[in-house]
Amino acid sequence: MTMHVTMTVNGSEVERDIEPRVLLVHFLREDLGLTGTHWGCDTSNCGTCVVQLDGEPVKSCTVLAAMADGHTVKTVEGLEQGGQLDPIQQGFMEEHGLQCGFCTPGMMLTARALLDRSPNPSEGEIREAISGQICRCTGYATIVRAVQWAAEHEGADAAGGGPTNGQLETEGAHA
Ligand code: FES
Ligand code: FES
């Protein structure tokens, strides 16, 4: 038995016939080829599969693709817009927020959602936001600094002083 689903993924409407049991993480990776969303445990422990569903970070191994029918999904592939990195991506680059990179897509989607609702989070807020996600490499300090870098540079844009990222914020971060 299959069912028909329609959803907006990274700004584009997609339609597929799927089995009702298919998890969103597998739908994204295998049906849509969006392999930037990683799959680590399938038991809701690691958080590497985090994507945004209607702007909220969710572990896509705990969501059926059918539950996303009619909703909006953003994956790591949707962060960059028009050849411009999202400030979160730039922050991870500037502050060396990744080593192996396995946790990184999920971390960035969670961080993007955090900054969208709280533009100047404290270190504690950042650590709480990513507390459901495991990084085996960095010790988290550089991830926190990456998010702080993005917050500082987006804040500069909001004040009219940022040279590069205002365009990113308005065009790409909230698609
Ligand atoms: S694969 Fe989803 S939490 Fe680990
Ligand atoms: S960078 Fe390797 S798991 Fe986080």
Side-chain angles (χ1 to χ4, degrees):
M1 184 182 96
T2 61
M3 64 178 293
H4 193 73
V5 294
T6 304
M7 66 187 80
T8 302
V9 179
N10 298 333
S12 299
E13 187 172 284
V14 299
E15 293 184 53
R16 292 289 190 282
D17 291 316
I18 62 167
E19 290 185 46
R21 65 181 178 84
V22 171
L23 296 170
L24 182 58
V25 63
H26 298 309
F27 177 73
L28 293 170
R29 289 177 57 85
E30 290 153 29
D31 289 74
L32 303 186
L34 296 172
T35 54
T37 300
H38 293 160
W39 176 42
C41 67
D42 224 5
T43 55
S44 192
N45 285 309
C46 75
T48 195
C49 63
V50 167
V51 300
Q52 288 184 8
L53 184 62
D54 294 338
E56 290 296 323
V58 296
K59 292 177 176 175
S60 60
C61 75
T62 68
V63 177
L64 293 168
M67 293 163 69
D69 184 32
H71 295 272
T72 298
V73 177
K74 180 185 267 189
T75 72
V76 68
E77 290 90 347
L79 284 174
E80 169 268 327
Q81 294 287 312
Q84 300 281 337
L85 295 180
D86 187 281
I88 284 290
Q89 294 173 300
Q90 205 167 345
F92 271 74
M93 198 169 67
E94 298 285 344
E95 298 294 338
H96 309 288
L98 64 148
Q99 290 181 31
C100 79
F102 192 66
C103 72
T104 311
M107 291 286 185
M108 291 198 294
L109 270 298
T110 293
R112 181 67 268 157
L114 172 65
L115 294 189
D116 287 346
R117 70 172 183 274
S118 178
N120 293 297
S122 66
E123 179 176 343
E125 287 173 310
I126 297 170
R127 288 186 179 273
E128 184 178 352
I130 62 171
S131 62
Q133 292 164 250
I134 294 170
C135 177
R136 294 291 188 194
C137 305
T138 66
Y140 302 96
T142 56
I143 294 173
V144 171
R145 285 204 290 273
V147 180
Q148 290 170 327
W149 188 99
E152 286 165 15
H153 287 72
E154 289 187 336
D157 287 339
T164 58
N165 291 329
Q167 187 182 10
L168 299 175
E169 175 68 3
T170 53
E171 289 185 358
H174 309 290

